[in-house]
Amino acid sequence: MPSDTPSSDQTAFQQATLTAGGSSVALPVDRGTLGNPCIDIAKLPKETGCFTYDPGFTATAACKSAITYIDGDAGVLMYRGYPIEQLAKQSSFLEVAYLLMHGELPSAAEFSNFDNEVTHHTMMHEAFRTFLFGFRHDAHPMAMLVGMLGSMASFYHNTLDLDDPEQRRLAAVRLIAKVPTIAAGCYRYSIGWPMRYPKNNLEYVDRFLHMMFEVPSEPLALKPVAARALDLLFILHADHEQNASTSTVRLVGSTGSNPYACVAAGVAALWGPAHGGANEAVLKMLGEIGKPGNVQSAIDKAKDKESGFRLMGFGHRVYKNFDPRAKIIREMTHQVLGELGVSDPMLEVALKLEEAALKDDYFIQRKLYPNVDFYSGIIYKALGIPTEMFTVMFAIARTAGWVAHWLEQQTDPDARIGRPRQIYTGYAERDYVGIDKR
Ligand code: ACO
């Protein structure tokens, strides 16, 4: 575990000097509590006329944040200083959501108030249902979720003064509370089942499972292992500092946009297979591999750049040794399948694939390890959650992180509109030619 005092080589330099076009500029070096030193290049364009080029932001910090810390080399993930392993074992998703938003773990009274508030904001405005019924019956639930969350901006715009901290906090609570209701609504609409209202006597995760699976014809027996597994997955997915979707929420937030629109944009960014869509892609891939005997040919295909095929659920932009969330989830996967009595041939394929990839030079050299999504899809499948809902599940959990980052950004004295530069590679100036002469 990293200590919170910088190592001696980190304290060794206070500034970096960059020489460009004959002039030298001294750039200050900024440090957080933990992590790499950051060279502050804000004055570079003014002093040298140069921009910096960093596609994918692999070397660029876009903000200061006190929410989540990741050490990709050491496989460390902490929310507000608490290691993910401790939160996974001892906390609950709702408590983690409070922690991310407020910065501290709640007292018993604070938690009870928060739980009560979230519980009493879970209902959807009835007009939402009409809105939902406008989607095609076979719409992807992520498409519906983007639309539904965007529409929240139209439902609550009159009660949202961004300068009022209480109204900002209420928007965050509403998002955490309503996303499961909307997600379950999208699912039930897609299969033609009647909507289920949220039940206040159930806890956050059981309430969601009830809204997903209860049918009018018979009572639903909620299984404790299902709630435990889902709560754990929600904790692990709750935040991951400046990932693509959180950065999107912040970019949209930087313009002063409505928070519901910001989170809708985050959902859109999460959807892609390189990000949250990977858990859906993992199951599709495991289904295509089909049996353990086909694992080696899948590995060979993933190594062949011409094939355009990658092992879904392997590799991570930040974790280059192991993903600590994958370690926790791997254990839970076996527990869930055991307790629910599910014997899933896909797990056999998954384990064989993991074993073969971890032994293979291509994956070792590139530090490609199973990420959190490699196992989460198998758990979701065992819980009866359909594949196209997997990324929606991720979105429910990540909403806690998105709102925490949006809240933090609103009071950040350094926050400015996000506006990257570019290297222009198009034509230099040329004259317009009339259509008759082209
Ligand atoms: N299978 C095969 N090869 C891979 C894989 C993979 N899953 N991931 C990376 N590589 C290879 C690349 O081809 C590249 O090889 P090269 O050096 O010979 O050119 C090298 O490893 C580095 O890959 P990059 O794409 O540069 O790594 P980057 O950090 O940009 O990408 C990413 C990370 C997007 C996660 C990538 O590993 C990937 O596509 N993985 C599969 C999708 C996935 O599981 N996404 C979920 C991420 S976790 C999350 O969002 C919760």
Side-chain angles (χ1 to χ4, degrees):
M1 197 60 48
S3 84
D4 55 3
T5 35
S7 62
S8 55
D9 59 325
Q10 273 187 310
T11 49
F13 63 101
Q14 302 300 324
Q15 64 176 41
T17 308
L18 187 125
T19 307
S23 59
S24 260
V25 54
L27 300 167
V29 174
D30 218 330
R31 285 188 179 78
T33 334
L34 298 168
N36 298 36
C38 271
I39 302 167
D40 179 348
I41 55 163
K43 65 178 178 182
L44 205 58
K46 218 182 209 170
E47 302 214 357
T48 66
C50 292
F51 298 143
T52 53
Y53 181 57
D54 180 19
F57 305 108
T58 53
T60 302
C63 64
K64 291 178 181 165
S65 178
I67 300 174
T68 291
Y69 175 74
I70 300 171
D71 181 335
D73 292 326
V76 169
L77 167 62
M78 299 191 289
Y79 298 157
R80 300 282 189 185
Y82 296 103
I84 193 68
E85 292 79 6
Q86 291 183 23
L87 294 170
K89 212 174 236 167
Q90 297 170 63
S91 188
S92 68
F93 171 67
L94 210 53
E95 187 180 64
V96 163
Y98 182 99
L99 172 70
L100 291 170
M101 266 177 74
H102 298 86
E104 296 297 337
L105 285 168
S107 66
E110 285 165 341
F111 182 72
S112 164
N113 285 343
F114 184 64
D115 188 6
N116 192 45
E117 204 180 12
V118 168
T119 300
H120 288 89
H121 277 290
T122 48
M123 292 269 288
M124 277 200 268
H125 189 294
E126 281 297 297
F128 255 139
R129 285 157 52 98
T130 323
F131 185 82
L132 184 64
F133 291 171
F135 286 106
R136 251 180 77 123
H137 70 282
D138 57 353
H140 194 286
M142 280 299 275
M144 289 195 254
L145 191 64
V146 174
M148 293 290 283
L149 283 172
S151 83
M152 278 180 82
S154 70
F155 282 92
Y156 299 109
H157 70 114
N158 285 339
T159 55
L160 190 62
D161 171 4
L162 289 189
D163 292 328
D164 178 351
E166 178 49 25
Q167 291 196 35
R168 293 199 299 264
R169 197 192 63 82
L170 187 57
V173 167
R174 273 201 188 112
L175 277 157
I176 291 170
K178 289 191 203 303
V179 164
T181 315
I182 294 170
C186 293
Y187 169 60
R188 295 184 76 106
Y189 173 70
S190 72
I191 55 166
W193 282 8
M195 298 292 144
R196 277 286 156 267
Y197 287 108
K199 279 206 172 295
N200 285 4
N201 63 332
L202 296 176
E203 304 220 333
Y204 192 86
V205 164
D206 271 340
R207 188 188 302 131
F208 169 69
L209 288 170
H210 181 266
M211 286 189 286
M212 281 285 287
F213 297 122
E214 203 259 352
V215 286
S217 38
E218 59 186 55
L220 175 75
L222 289 161
K223 297 188 180 90
V225 70
R228 230 171 39 243
L230 205 51
D231 199 63
L232 176 68
L233 283 167
F234 284 177
I235 291 173
L236 300 182
H237 278 116
D239 194 41
H240 215 228
E241 50 115 310
Q242 311 308 321
N243 56 84
S245 57
T246 303
S247 299
T248 302
V249 170
R250 279 183 177 266
L251 190 61
V252 181
S254 78
T255 69
S257 265
N258 180 295
Y260 306 106
C262 295
V263 170
V267 175
L270 185 73
W271 192 358
H275 191 9
N279 53 15
E280 189 174 337
V282 168
L283 264 237
K284 197 165 163 261
M285 175 192 74
L286 293 176
E288 281 163 10
I289 296 174
K291 52 183 186 190
N294 295 339
V295 160
Q296 194 50 51
S297 57
I299 297 256
D300 294 341
K301 196 171 162 196
K303 286 156 55 175
D304 173 11
K305 301 275 188 246
E306 300 294 301
S307 73
F309 170 74
R310 284 185 169 199
L311 283 190
M312 287 293 121
F314 277 77
H316 198 275
R317 170 59 62 82
V318 180
Y319 295 120
K320 298 298 181 191
N321 271 324
F322 68 93
D323 179 342
R325 303 165 303 170
K327 234 183 179 178
I328 299 168
I329 265 191
R330 189 177 192 271
E331 259 174 55
M332 185 47 118
T333 308
H334 290 277
Q335 209 176 320
V336 168
L337 296 181
E339 280 192 43
L340 292 180
V342 179
S343 117
D344 194 332
M346 276 197 197
L347 182 66
E348 222 185 305
V349 176
L351 292 179
K352 181 92 185 146
L353 191 65
E354 181 200 31
E355 189 192 329
L358 290 177
K359 278 199 292 212
D360 192 290
D361 268 356
Y362 173 96
F363 292 89
I364 294 168
Q365 276 163 16
R366 289 169 182 77
K367 300 190 169 181
L368 300 168
Y369 297 86
N371 59 48
V372 63
D373 289 324
F374 187 68
Y375 292 106
S376 64
I378 296 168
I379 296 190
Y380 288 143
K381 186 165 183 280
L383 300 185
I385 290 166
T387 316
E388 61 281 7
M389 280 293 287
F390 287 2
T391 317
V392 173
M393 306 300 292
F394 192 161
I396 295 174
R398 187 54 59 87
T399 299
W402 290 331
V403 299
H405 282 271
W406 178 78
L407 285 171
E408 182 177 60
Q409 179 186 42
Q410 298 306 304
T411 53
D412 179 355
D414 289 349
R416 301 175 70 189
I417 184 168
R419 186 13 179 130
R421 299 293 187 164
Q422 65 167 8
I423 298 177
Y424 174 67
T425 59
Y427 287 105
E429 185 176 333
R430 54 185 180 153
D431 289 325
Y432 179 82
V433 179
I435 197 162
D436 53 326
K437 299 214 174 66
R438 280 175 236 156

